[in-house]
Amino acid sequence: MKNFVQELKWRGMIQDIMPGTEEKLMEGSTAAYVGIDPTADSLHIGHMVSIMILKHFQNCGHKPIALVGGATGMIGDPSMKSQERNLLDEETLNHNVACIKAQLSKFLDFESEAGNKAELVNNYDWMKNFTFLDFAREIGKHITVNYMMAKDSVKKRLSGEARDGMSFTEFTYQLLQGYDFLYLYENMGCTLQMGGADQWGNITTGSELIRRILGKEAFALTCPLITKADGGKFGKTEKGNIWLDPERTSPYQFYQFWLNVSDSDAEKYIKIFTMLSREEIEAAIAAHSEAPERRELQKLLAKEVTTMVHGAAEYENAVAASQMLFGNATKDALKSLDEKTFLAVFDGVPTFDVAAEKFPMGVIDLLAGETAVFPSKGECRKMIQANGVSIDKEKVSDINAQIGEESFINGKYILAQKGKKNYFIIRIA
C-alpha cells in the first residue's frame, strides 16, 4: 500500500483530516467517496481537486467511489452559498449525470478487473423511494437540531450574512448527505468521505450518523479550496468557468488557462493537478527558478492537464494554435484549425463581413475598400510594398494580388495581418 495521506500532504492537498484516518488507510485497501453536485452538464476545473484526490486514492491501491448527487442536487448545498439556488427538474439532472459520468472516466479506471476499480453511483437510486416519514423516523431522530445548527454552513446562513435566511429544504441537506455516507458504508464498505474544505460540516455529519446508528467508526478528509496568488477566484475568467467539456471551453482555451498562470500558482497547481512524481515536480520547479522567463513550468503544467482532460492530439493542436499569434505559423497550420479553435485563438480580433459574391477581388480593394483594415488604399499599397501585409499567414508581395475562395478558412473566414501584431478577421457573409 502506498501512503495516500502522505502523498496528499506533500502536494498541499489536505485541509482537515479526522484522527486515525491515515492509520486506517494503511491497514489495507478500503473505499472512499467524493460527492459531485450535478448542477451543470459538465464539470469545471473547480471540481478537479476532488477528482484528483480520487485518482490518487485509486493509485494508492484503494477503491474510489464518485457519487453524483441526483437526489441532493434537487435541493442544493447551502455551504458557501449566500442564497438558495434554483432547483433542477429530474430530466435535467439525468442529462447532467450522464455527461459527468463520461468526463470522470478520463480520470478514473471504471473498466478494469482490478479489485479497486472505480464505481460511480447516483444517490437518487436509493433516495427516490425513501418517504419523508421513513426518513424522519430512521435518520432524523439520530441527529439533533443543536448539532446541525452548530455547523458553519448553517450558522452563516442564519446569522444575517444571508439576506433570505435558510429554507427547511436546505437545512435538511446535511442529513441527506450524511445518509449517503451511511448507505455507502453499509452497502459498499465505504469508510472515508472526502471533499472540499467547505464540506467538512456535511462530511462529519455522515461519520456521526454512522457512529450513532451502527456504532462504527468512519473517517473524513478535506482538501483546501484552491485560490490564486492575486486573490482572484480559481478557475474563473472574464467569460466564466473553465469547463472540461470542449464545447463549453475549447481545448485551446483550456491549455491557455494553465499556460498563463503565475509562477507561484504554477508551483502549487503542478502538485495538485498532475500525477507527476515528487522528484519530477521538484526538478521542474528548480529548473524553472533558473530561467523563469521561459515559463517551462507553466508549459509542463499545461501539457499534463490538457493531455489528461482532452488527450494528446488536442494538446498538440492547442500548442500549434498557440503559435498562430506568437510564432511563425504557416498557412497550412492555420487552415488545419477547426472553426471553434480558430475563433478562440483570434477572440476579440476586429471582424468585418464581406458578401461571398464579391470574390475574387483585389487585395487592396478588400483591405481598404470593403473593409477598414487600412484607412486608405494608398496606405495599404505602401504596407504591401514594405512586406507588412499577410493573408492567412502568407506575405502578400503583389499589390495586384487577387483574393478568392482558395483563401477561405473553414469556407468562411480570411485572416488579415497588418504588421506583426494587428490581426483582422474577414467573415464571408
Side-chain angles (χ1 to χ4, degrees):
M1 296 296 298
K2 288 179 64 177
N3 191 316
F4 171 68
V5 172
Q6 290 303 314
E7 179 72 17
L8 293 195
K9 278 183 177 178
W10 79 259
R11 291 180 182 272
M13 296 175 73
I14 292 182
Q15 175 81 19
D16 295 299
I17 183 169
M18 194 172 284
T21 302
E22 183 175 0
E23 293 77 7
K24 173 64 179 178
L25 294 177
M26 292 307 294
E27 290 177 3
S29 182
T30 188
Y33 90 94
V34 165
I36 298 169
D37 206 353
T39 49
D41 61 1
S42 173
L43 302 170
H44 53 74
I45 60 175
H47 292 108
M48 277 185 62
V49 186
S50 294
I51 296 170
M52 291 304 294
I53 284 180
L54 283 180
K55 189 172 178 66
H56 283 297
F57 194 70
Q58 187 170 45
N59 200 45
C60 288
H62 300 289
K63 185 180 185 68
I65 300 171
L67 182 149
V68 182
T72 42
M74 291 181 170
I75 291 176
D77 181 5
S79 302
M80 306 294 285
K81 306 292 189 300
S82 61
Q83 61 186 24
E84 187 162 358
R85 62 179 160 210
N86 295 330
L87 308 186
L88 302 179
D89 60 69
E90 188 173 343
E91 182 181 354
T92 302
L93 281 165
N94 288 338
H95 168 73
N96 292 354
V97 168
C99 294
I100 289 170
K101 281 183 181 180
Q103 290 182 341
L104 287 172
S105 65
K106 297 178 180 180
F107 298 87
L108 303 172
D109 170 20
F110 290 97
E111 304 300 329
S112 77
E113 299 301 315
N116 71 326
K117 76 172 184 176
E119 301 282 351
L120 192 137
V121 297
N122 182 348
N123 61 11
Y124 185 71
D125 292 337
W126 57 80
M127 290 302 302
K128 60 186 176 184
N129 296 320
F130 210 159
T131 70
F132 176 76
L133 290 177
D134 286 341
F135 189 82
R137 282 171 55 87
E138 297 176 26
I139 306 302
K141 69 178 182 179
H142 293 284
I143 300 292
T144 67
V145 170
N146 294 27
Y147 179 88
M148 296 172 71
M149 294 277 286
K151 300 295 184 180
D152 285 342
S153 60
V154 175
K155 284 195 293 187
K156 287 179 180 177
R157 290 291 294 273
L158 297 179
S159 66
E161 293 182 30
R163 186 179 60 209
D164 300 322
M166 185 182 203
S167 71
F168 175 76
T169 303
E170 285 187 305
F171 186 60
T172 62
Y173 188 94
Q174 64 173 288
L175 279 184
L176 292 172
Q177 185 170 328
Y179 179 69
D180 288 341
F181 199 179
L182 174 66
Y183 180 91
L184 293 176
Y185 187 100
E186 290 188 289
N187 292 276
M188 299 184 70
C190 180
T191 60
L192 171 65
Q193 185 182 170
M194 305 181 291
D198 59 320
Q199 290 296 305
W200 182 253
N202 293 334
I203 292 173
T204 52
T205 295
S207 60
E208 182 67 10
L209 201 57
I210 290 167
R211 185 186 70 80
R212 294 187 184 189
I213 292 178
L214 303 178
K216 304 285 189 178
E217 191 174 23
F219 299 89
L221 181 154
T222 63
C223 55
L225 298 178
I226 305 303
T227 57
K228 289 165 62 177
D230 63 5
K233 189 168 183 179
F234 169 73
K236 286 277 191 180
T237 67
E238 290 180 4
K239 294 191 174 182
N241 286 321
I242 301 296
W243 300 91
L244 305 194
D245 182 349
E247 295 301 314
R248 286 173 173 254
T249 299
S250 71
Y252 166 78
Q253 291 167 320
F254 187 87
Y255 171 78
Q256 284 291 321
F257 171 81
W258 300 101
L259 191 64
N260 290 306
V261 301
S262 69
D263 288 351
S264 58
D265 284 338
E267 285 193 26
K268 180 167 65 172
Y269 296 165
I270 201 163
K271 296 174 185 175
I272 296 171
F273 297 106
T274 78
M275 295 298 289
L276 295 173
S277 69
R278 186 169 190 168
E279 293 73 24
E280 289 172 311
I281 289 173
E282 288 176 349
I285 291 173
H288 177 79
S289 66
E290 294 179 5
E293 70 281 358
R294 296 174 59 184
R295 300 183 70 78
E296 293 298 333
L297 192 62
Q298 284 90 339
K299 291 176 184 176
L300 179 59
L301 170 66
K303 176 184 178 181
E304 291 294 319
V305 184
T306 305
T307 301
M308 180 165 54
V309 173
H310 294 295
E314 289 291 3
Y315 160 71
E316 296 293 346
N317 289 341
V319 173
S322 297
Q323 297 302 311
M324 294 298 157
L325 285 174
F326 310 111
N328 297 317
T330 64
K331 181 176 182 178
D332 288 341
L334 178 65
K335 289 204 165 189
S336 72
L337 297 181
D338 60 86
E339 182 178 3
K340 187 179 288 289
T341 304
F342 171 77
L343 293 176
V345 171
F346 297 101
D347 182 38
V349 165
T351 301
F352 304 99
D353 289 327
V354 178
E357 57 267 21
K358 293 190 176 183
F359 291 91
M361 73 171 77
V363 63
I364 293 178
D365 288 334
L366 176 63
L367 301 183
E370 293 295 328
T371 69
V373 172
F374 286 92
S376 69
K377 292 184 177 182
E379 186 174 328
C380 182
R381 186 180 297 107
K382 286 180 182 178
M383 186 70 93
I384 291 173
Q385 292 170 335
N387 210 32
V389 174
S390 296
I391 295 291
D392 297 342
K393 285 292 182 178
E394 285 191 344
K395 292 289 185 183
V396 178
S397 56
D398 182 2
I399 60 174
N400 297 310
Q402 293 290 302
I403 307 300
E405 290 184 11
E406 72 282 353
S407 297
F408 295 177
I409 301 165
N410 293 304
K412 53 180 150 179
Y413 302 103
I414 293 171
L415 181 70
Q417 187 175 353
K418 180 170 67 173
K420 289 186 177 181
K421 297 181 179 179
N422 298 307
Y423 289 94
F424 305 85
I425 291 175
I426 298 167
R427 186 166 50 210
I428 315 306

